[in-house]
Amino acid sequence: MFWNRKNEQTAALEARMEAGLEALGQKLSEGNTQLADTARVLDQLQRTVREQGMSIEDLLEEWSGRNTAEEELRTRLNECEDRERHLLALFEAYQEQIRNLKRFAEGRDGEWAAQIGLMEQSLEHHRQMCGISLTGECGSTVDYDLHEVIEVMDTALPEQDRRIADVYHVGYLYQGKVRTKAKVAVYAFGNMDRRTEHTTKEEKGDGHGYSHRD
């Protein structure tokens, strides 16, 4: 009977051990599965990091290329602006020379003056194609946005009032914007009458033996 009880205890202990080992095996299997899943996640993360790293490198390379292209474009734009400025200065110098030749020829050599006039007409088409328009023409009405008045001339004719009497330096517009104002002399009607009236009052004085002065 003693041996029967001992065998039963031994069998129960073995059963418990087998159950424990089976549970441990199941946990180990579950742990291996989790480890495998973790390994797959880590592998995917590593691939993603490598891909993102390559994408960032590509992006940085592309950005660097764009910056280089923008710098080259900015350099070319500055060069074009400098060239444009020099060409406009050259045009202004030539235009002034032609005008001076025309003024010199007028009254001295009619054929020469006519030839210079034809030269100006032939250049007008090219000026228009370049977006250049001359300002400052004798007889036209003064426009303070286009003309700089440096002299005022008296006139007895009311229809000449505020008309350009002479042009000392031709101005021009470039691409619709004023580049240089024309320096002109302008007729003023009534200035002579006002000065005469003022002078007469000064000559009359104020009755005390002296004249008013401004």
PDB file of all heavy atoms in Angstrom, residues 74-90 174 179:
ATOM      1  N   ARG A  74      20.505  83.707 -62.122  1.00  0.00           N
ATOM      2  CA  ARG A  74      20.658  85.045 -61.543  1.00  0.00           C
ATOM      3  C   ARG A  74      21.891  85.752 -62.117  1.00  0.00           C
ATOM      4  O   ARG A  74      21.852  86.952 -62.408  1.00  0.00           O
ATOM      5  CB  ARG A  74      20.791  84.914 -60.021  1.00  0.00           C
ATOM      6  CG  ARG A  74      20.675  86.244 -59.285  1.00  0.00           C
ATOM      7  CD  ARG A  74      20.712  86.055 -57.780  1.00  0.00           C
ATOM      8  NE  ARG A  74      19.576  85.269 -57.321  1.00  0.00           N
ATOM      9  CZ  ARG A  74      19.674  84.037 -56.870  1.00  0.00           C
ATOM     10  NH1 ARG A  74      20.834  83.420 -56.828  1.00  0.00           N
ATOM     11  NH2 ARG A  74      18.590  83.395 -56.453  1.00  0.00           N
ATOM     12  N   THR A  75      22.953  84.996 -62.319  1.00  0.00           N
ATOM     13  CA  THR A  75      24.163  85.587 -62.903  1.00  0.00           C
ATOM     14  C   THR A  75      23.896  86.052 -64.325  1.00  0.00           C
ATOM     15  O   THR A  75      24.286  87.162 -64.722  1.00  0.00           O
ATOM     16  CB  THR A  75      25.307  84.561 -62.897  1.00  0.00           C
ATOM     17  OG1 THR A  75      25.568  84.155 -61.546  1.00  0.00           O
ATOM     18  CG2 THR A  75      26.566  85.154 -63.497  1.00  0.00           C
ATOM     19  N   ARG A  76      23.217  85.221 -65.106  1.00  0.00           N
ATOM     20  CA  ARG A  76      22.893  85.608 -66.475  1.00  0.00           C
ATOM     21  C   ARG A  76      21.972  86.819 -66.507  1.00  0.00           C
ATOM     22  O   ARG A  76      22.117  87.699 -67.367  1.00  0.00           O
ATOM     23  CB  ARG A  76      22.238  84.436 -67.206  1.00  0.00           C
ATOM     24  CG  ARG A  76      23.184  83.269 -67.468  1.00  0.00           C
ATOM     25  CD  ARG A  76      22.484  82.159 -68.216  1.00  0.00           C
ATOM     26  NE  ARG A  76      23.368  81.029 -68.451  1.00  0.00           N
ATOM     27  CZ  ARG A  76      22.998  79.905 -69.077  1.00  0.00           C
ATOM     28  NH1 ARG A  76      21.745  79.788 -69.516  1.00  0.00           N
ATOM     29  NH2 ARG A  76      23.864  78.929 -69.245  1.00  0.00           N
ATOM     30  N   LEU A  77      21.012  86.858 -65.576  1.00  0.00           N
ATOM     31  CA  LEU A  77      20.090  87.996 -65.516  1.00  0.00           C
ATOM     32  C   LEU A  77      20.846  89.280 -65.203  1.00  0.00           C
ATOM     33  O   LEU A  77      20.591  90.325 -65.817  1.00  0.00           O
ATOM     34  CB  LEU A  77      19.015  87.732 -64.463  1.00  0.00           C
ATOM     35  CG  LEU A  77      17.947  88.817 -64.293  1.00  0.00           C
ATOM     36  CD1 LEU A  77      17.180  89.016 -65.589  1.00  0.00           C
ATOM     37  CD2 LEU A  77      16.989  88.455 -63.165  1.00  0.00           C
ATOM     38  N   ASN A  78      21.779  89.209 -64.262  1.00  0.00           N
ATOM     39  CA  ASN A  78      22.579  90.393 -63.937  1.00  0.00           C
ATOM     40  C   ASN A  78      23.415  90.827 -65.135  1.00  0.00           C
ATOM     41  O   ASN A  78      23.559  92.033 -65.400  1.00  0.00           O
ATOM     42  CB  ASN A  78      23.482  90.100 -62.738  1.00  0.00           C
ATOM     43  CG  ASN A  78      22.697  89.933 -61.449  1.00  0.00           C
ATOM     44  OD1 ASN A  78      21.609  90.453 -61.310  1.00  0.00           O
ATOM     45  ND2 ASN A  78      23.253  89.196 -60.507  1.00  0.00           N
ATOM     46  N   GLU A  79      23.963  89.854 -65.854  1.00  0.00           N
ATOM     47  CA  GLU A  79      24.745  90.185 -67.039  1.00  0.00           C
ATOM     48  C   GLU A  79      23.871  90.849 -68.100  1.00  0.00           C
ATOM     49  O   GLU A  79      24.295  91.820 -68.747  1.00  0.00           O
ATOM     50  CB  GLU A  79      25.396  88.922 -67.612  1.00  0.00           C
ATOM     51  CG  GLU A  79      26.498  88.344 -66.717  1.00  0.00           C
ATOM     52  CD  GLU A  79      27.037  87.033 -67.268  1.00  0.00           C
ATOM     53  OE1 GLU A  79      26.448  86.528 -68.258  1.00  0.00           O
ATOM     54  OE2 GLU A  79      28.026  86.515 -66.716  1.00  0.00           O
ATOM     55  N   CYS A  80      22.654  90.332 -68.275  1.00  0.00           N
ATOM     56  CA  CYS A  80      21.734  90.932 -69.246  1.00  0.00           C
ATOM     57  C   CYS A  80      21.358  92.350 -68.838  1.00  0.00           C
ATOM     58  O   CYS A  80      21.268  93.251 -69.689  1.00  0.00           O
ATOM     59  CB  CYS A  80      20.477  90.075 -69.387  1.00  0.00           C
ATOM     60  SG  CYS A  80      20.727  88.501 -70.228  1.00  0.00           S
ATOM     61  N   GLU A  81      21.129  92.573 -67.545  1.00  0.00           N
ATOM     62  CA  GLU A  81      20.780  93.911 -67.077  1.00  0.00           C
ATOM     63  C   GLU A  81      21.939  94.878 -67.288  1.00  0.00           C
ATOM     64  O   GLU A  81      21.733  96.026 -67.698  1.00  0.00           O
ATOM     65  CB  GLU A  81      20.389  93.854 -65.599  1.00  0.00           C
ATOM     66  CG  GLU A  81      19.050  93.176 -65.355  1.00  0.00           C
ATOM     67  CD  GLU A  81      18.711  93.076 -63.884  1.00  0.00           C
ATOM     68  OE1 GLU A  81      19.623  93.343 -63.051  1.00  0.00           O
ATOM     69  OE2 GLU A  81      17.571  92.720 -63.544  1.00  0.00           O
ATOM     70  N   ASP A  82      23.170  94.415 -67.028  1.00  0.00           N
ATOM     71  CA  ASP A  82      24.331  95.275 -67.259  1.00  0.00           C
ATOM     72  C   ASP A  82      24.479  95.588 -68.751  1.00  0.00           C
ATOM     73  O   ASP A  82      24.748  96.742 -69.131  1.00  0.00           O
ATOM     74  CB  ASP A  82      25.604  94.588 -66.754  1.00  0.00           C
ATOM     75  CG  ASP A  82      25.647  94.511 -65.239  1.00  0.00           C
ATOM     76  OD1 ASP A  82      24.939  95.296 -64.584  1.00  0.00           O
ATOM     77  OD2 ASP A  82      26.383  93.651 -64.711  1.00  0.00           O
ATOM     78  N   ARG A  83      24.291  94.575 -69.585  1.00  0.00           N
ATOM     79  CA  ARG A  83      24.407  94.797 -71.028  1.00  0.00           C
ATOM     80  C   ARG A  83      23.321  95.756 -71.510  1.00  0.00           C
ATOM     81  O   ARG A  83      23.573  96.638 -72.338  1.00  0.00           O
ATOM     82  CB  ARG A  83      24.301  93.459 -71.758  1.00  0.00           C
ATOM     83  CG  ARG A  83      24.631  93.547 -73.252  1.00  0.00           C
ATOM     84  CD  ARG A  83      24.530  92.194 -73.917  1.00  0.00           C
ATOM     85  NE  ARG A  83      25.470  91.246 -73.345  1.00  0.00           N
ATOM     86  CZ  ARG A  83      25.121  90.200 -72.587  1.00  0.00           C
ATOM     87  NH1 ARG A  83      23.835  89.973 -72.328  1.00  0.00           N
ATOM     88  NH2 ARG A  83      26.026  89.378 -72.099  1.00  0.00           N
ATOM     89  N   GLU A  84      22.115  95.594 -70.977  1.00  0.00           N
ATOM     90  CA  GLU A  84      21.015  96.479 -71.348  1.00  0.00           C
ATOM     91  C   GLU A  84      21.312  97.923 -70.947  1.00  0.00           C
ATOM     92  O   GLU A  84      21.073  98.856 -71.717  1.00  0.00           O
ATOM     93  CB  GLU A  84      19.733  96.004 -70.680  1.00  0.00           C
ATOM     94  CG  GLU A  84      18.503  96.831 -70.998  1.00  0.00           C
ATOM     95  CD  GLU A  84      17.292  96.344 -70.221  1.00  0.00           C
ATOM     96  OE1 GLU A  84      17.350  96.335 -68.976  1.00  0.00           O
ATOM     97  OE2 GLU A  84      16.298  95.967 -70.847  1.00  0.00           O
ATOM     98  N   ARG A  85      21.858  98.106 -69.747  1.00  0.00           N
ATOM     99  CA  ARG A  85      22.181  99.442 -69.280  1.00  0.00           C
ATOM    100  C   ARG A  85      23.247 100.102 -70.162  1.00  0.00           C
ATOM    101  O   ARG A  85      23.141 101.280 -70.519  1.00  0.00           O
ATOM    102  CB  ARG A  85      22.663  99.368 -67.832  1.00  0.00           C
ATOM    103  CG  ARG A  85      22.912 100.719 -67.200  1.00  0.00           C
ATOM    104  CD  ARG A  85      23.029 100.618 -65.689  1.00  0.00           C
ATOM    105  NE  ARG A  85      24.011  99.638 -65.272  1.00  0.00           N
ATOM    106  CZ  ARG A  85      23.692  98.448 -64.733  1.00  0.00           C
ATOM    107  NH1 ARG A  85      22.432  98.110 -64.574  1.00  0.00           N
ATOM    108  NH2 ARG A  85      24.625  97.606 -64.371  1.00  0.00           N
ATOM    109  N   HIS A  86      24.259  99.330 -70.546  1.00  0.00           N
ATOM    110  CA  HIS A  86      25.307  99.877 -71.406  1.00  0.00           C
ATOM    111  C   HIS A  86      24.764 100.210 -72.800  1.00  0.00           C
ATOM    112  O   HIS A  86      25.147 101.235 -73.395  1.00  0.00           O
ATOM    113  CB  HIS A  86      26.463  98.891 -71.513  1.00  0.00           C
ATOM    114  CG  HIS A  86      27.232  98.714 -70.234  1.00  0.00           C
ATOM    115  ND1 HIS A  86      27.678  99.778 -69.485  1.00  0.00           N
ATOM    116  CD2 HIS A  86      27.626  97.596 -69.566  1.00  0.00           C
ATOM    117  CE1 HIS A  86      28.313  99.330 -68.412  1.00  0.00           C
ATOM    118  NE2 HIS A  86      28.292  98.015 -68.441  1.00  0.00           N
ATOM    119  N   LEU A  87      23.891  99.362 -73.321  1.00  0.00           N
ATOM    120  CA  LEU A  87      23.322  99.621 -74.649  1.00  0.00           C
ATOM    121  C   LEU A  87      22.448 100.871 -74.630  1.00  0.00           C
ATOM    122  O   LEU A  87      22.468 101.666 -75.585  1.00  0.00           O
ATOM    123  CB  LEU A  87      22.509  98.409 -75.112  1.00  0.00           C
ATOM    124  CG  LEU A  87      23.324  97.179 -75.523  1.00  0.00           C
ATOM    125  CD1 LEU A  87      22.400  95.998 -75.822  1.00  0.00           C
ATOM    126  CD2 LEU A  87      24.171  97.484 -76.758  1.00  0.00           C
ATOM    127  N   LEU A  88      21.689 101.056 -73.562  1.00  0.00           N
ATOM    128  CA  LEU A  88      20.861 102.257 -73.464  1.00  0.00           C
ATOM    129  C   LEU A  88      21.732 103.513 -73.346  1.00  0.00           C
ATOM    130  O   LEU A  88      21.404 104.559 -73.919  1.00  0.00           O
ATOM    131  CB  LEU A  88      19.925 102.148 -72.264  1.00  0.00           C
ATOM    132  CG  LEU A  88      18.765 101.150 -72.408  1.00  0.00           C
ATOM    133  CD1 LEU A  88      17.999 101.036 -71.104  1.00  0.00           C
ATOM    134  CD2 LEU A  88      17.837 101.551 -73.546  1.00  0.00           C
ATOM    135  N   ALA A  89      22.824 103.404 -72.605  1.00  0.00           N
ATOM    136  CA  ALA A  89      23.735 104.547 -72.513  1.00  0.00           C
ATOM    137  C   ALA A  89      24.350 104.853 -73.878  1.00  0.00           C
ATOM    138  O   ALA A  89      24.511 106.022 -74.256  1.00  0.00           O
ATOM    139  CB  ALA A  89      24.826 104.254 -71.483  1.00  0.00           C
ATOM    140  N   LEU A  90      24.675 103.783 -74.639  1.00  0.00           N
ATOM    141  CA  LEU A  90      25.220 103.984 -75.981  1.00  0.00           C
ATOM    142  C   LEU A  90      24.184 104.631 -76.892  1.00  0.00           C
ATOM    143  O   LEU A  90      24.494 105.557 -77.658  1.00  0.00           O
ATOM    144  CB  LEU A  90      25.665 102.635 -76.558  1.00  0.00           C
ATOM    145  CG  LEU A  90      26.257 102.653 -77.969  1.00  0.00           C
ATOM    146  CD1 LEU A  90      27.534 103.471 -77.998  1.00  0.00           C
ATOM    147  CD2 LEU A  90      26.523 101.220 -78.442  1.00  0.00           C
ATOM    148  N   TYR A 174      11.595 103.854 -72.083  1.00  0.00           N
ATOM    149  CA  TYR A 174      12.038 102.509 -72.418  1.00  0.00           C
ATOM    150  C   TYR A 174      11.075 101.514 -71.777  1.00  0.00           C
ATOM    151  O   TYR A 174      10.867 101.533 -70.563  1.00  0.00           O
ATOM    152  CB  TYR A 174      13.461 102.265 -71.911  1.00  0.00           C
ATOM    153  CG  TYR A 174      13.970 100.864 -72.168  1.00  0.00           C
ATOM    154  CD1 TYR A 174      14.154 100.400 -73.467  1.00  0.00           C
ATOM    155  CD2 TYR A 174      14.257 100.005 -71.109  1.00  0.00           C
ATOM    156  CE1 TYR A 174      14.610  99.116 -73.698  1.00  0.00           C
ATOM    157  CE2 TYR A 174      14.713  98.732 -71.347  1.00  0.00           C
ATOM    158  CZ  TYR A 174      14.896  98.289 -72.642  1.00  0.00           C
ATOM    159  OH  TYR A 174      15.340  97.004 -72.874  1.00  0.00           O
ATOM    160  N   ARG A 179      12.876 106.835 -68.861  1.00  0.00           N
ATOM    161  CA  ARG A 179      14.288 106.553 -68.576  1.00  0.00           C
ATOM    162  C   ARG A 179      15.056 107.859 -68.336  1.00  0.00           C
ATOM    163  O   ARG A 179      15.846 107.967 -67.406  1.00  0.00           O
ATOM    164  CB  ARG A 179      14.899 105.800 -69.759  1.00  0.00           C
ATOM    165  CG  ARG A 179      16.309 105.328 -69.537  1.00  0.00           C
ATOM    166  CD  ARG A 179      16.352 104.073 -68.722  1.00  0.00           C
ATOM    167  NE  ARG A 179      17.715 103.624 -68.506  1.00  0.00           N
ATOM    168  CZ  ARG A 179      18.016 102.452 -67.981  1.00  0.00           C
ATOM    169  NH1 ARG A 179      17.066 101.618 -67.625  1.00  0.00           N
ATOM    170  NH2 ARG A 179      19.274 102.112 -67.805  1.00  0.00           N
TER     171      ARG A 179
END
